[in-house]
Amino acid sequence: MRTETLHIPTADGLADAFAAFPDDGERHPGVLMYPDGFGIRPVLRDMACELAGHGYYVLVPNIFYRNGPTPVIELPEHIGAEERPAVFAQLMPLIEAHTAERTLSDADAYLGFLAGRPEADAGPVAVTGYCIGGLVATRTAVAHPGRVAALAAFHAPVSADGTDSLAKLTAEVHFGHAASDVTPDELVVLNRALDEAGVVSTSEIYPGSVHGFTMSDTDAFDAGALRHHWDRLLPLLGRALARS
């Protein structure tokens, strides 16, 4: 496994990013992995390496690069209930400033950069994301229907732009919702919109989970839900990128 810290030129500067990929001299399908609001840190690097080990070039950008390089804010080793208020006091202004316009401008830069990496395959890519990164991933997939073949988002506000925007998706989709984020009735509405738009998708509530369930450095972590996340993500990428 090879890892690198890279810098991606964007319209507003340089975004630092973490990349992981097999060190075998081959080109591999690209995956753009958007982090949760806490950003690039050991747990995200570990997840990127886990995914790369299945034969992918994984690029994890610092979506808040306008506010500085990683780490944009100082984080405790474990983000528990006592630490969350102080962390979120720093984090929420960054999330609120990360507009859809910024998301789309940056997505153009990230996808262009990924296309130019010698270790990454030139074909369609997958985008995945967690929490706010899941919304960013969804916006990226909507805006790049010819480029993004697979979309996965976990404990993410995927319908924040309205279900009408999701009708534009051409990627195969998996949405893994936290039970604390989405009610069964809300899930029915979301899934009906996906079905009526002809989006090939799975969209489900992970039983008993709370927001942030994939992140092992938080109190929200759920080992079973994380395994289910891999059980959904890996076959999705295998199907979508293989047929692309």
Side-chain angles (χ1 to χ4, degrees), residues 55-82:
Y56 298 102
Y57 182 98
V58 183
L59 182 67
V60 188
N62 167 18
I63 64 173
F64 299 137
Y65 69 88
R66 293 173 180 83
N67 300 94
T70 302
V72 179
I73 63 173
E74 293 298 327
L75 294 171
E77 189 170 318
H78 184 85
I79 305 165
E82 291 184 5

Side-chain angles (χ1 to χ4, degrees), residues 14-213:
L14 286 175
D16 56 297
F18 176 79
F21 51 93
D23 191 13
D24 57 8
E26 301 292 328
R27 299 183 71 161
H28 298 277
V31 179
L32 181 56
M33 177 187 282
Y34 288 111
D36 62 355
F38 299 137
I40 301 171
R41 59 197 193 282
V43 65
L44 261 297
R45 294 186 182 96
D46 289 347
M47 292 173 74
C49 289
E50 171 79 13
L51 184 53
H54 292 272
Y56 298 102
Y57 182 98
V58 183
L59 182 67
V60 188
N62 167 18
I63 64 173
F64 299 137
Y65 69 88
R66 293 173 180 83
N67 300 94
T70 302
V72 179
I73 63 173
E74 293 298 327
L75 294 171
E77 189 170 318
H78 184 85
I79 305 165
E82 291 184 5
E83 294 82 10
R84 287 178 72 86
V87 170
F88 272 87
Q90 301 176 74
L91 184 59
M92 287 309 297
L94 308 186
I95 292 175
E96 291 166 359
H98 197 69
T99 62
E101 291 75 19
R102 285 185 172 185
T103 291
L104 298 181
S105 175
D106 291 344
D108 290 344
Y110 301 152
L111 291 172
F113 185 83
L114 189 55
R117 300 307 298 167
E119 307 89 356
D121 188 87
V125 304
V127 292
T128 185
Y130 304 88
C131 184
I132 184 64
L135 174 57
V136 174
T138 302
R139 286 172 170 168
T140 298
V142 167
H144 294 272
R147 182 86 170 100
V148 176
L151 162 65
F154 301 92
H155 45 86
V158 295
S159 57
D161 295 333
T163 55
D164 287 349
S165 69
L166 300 179
K168 301 174 185 177
L169 287 167
T170 60
E172 183 175 350
V173 172
H174 175 70
F175 292 148
H177 309 283
S180 63
D181 289 346
V182 175
T183 68
D185 288 345
E186 289 169 337
L187 183 67
V188 168
V189 172
L190 171 60
N191 290 354
R192 182 183 298 123
L194 292 169
D195 290 343
E196 290 177 351
V199 178
V200 178
S201 64
T202 57
S203 174
E204 61 186 338
I205 295 171
Y206 286 28
S209 63
V210 298
H211 184 78
F213 58 77

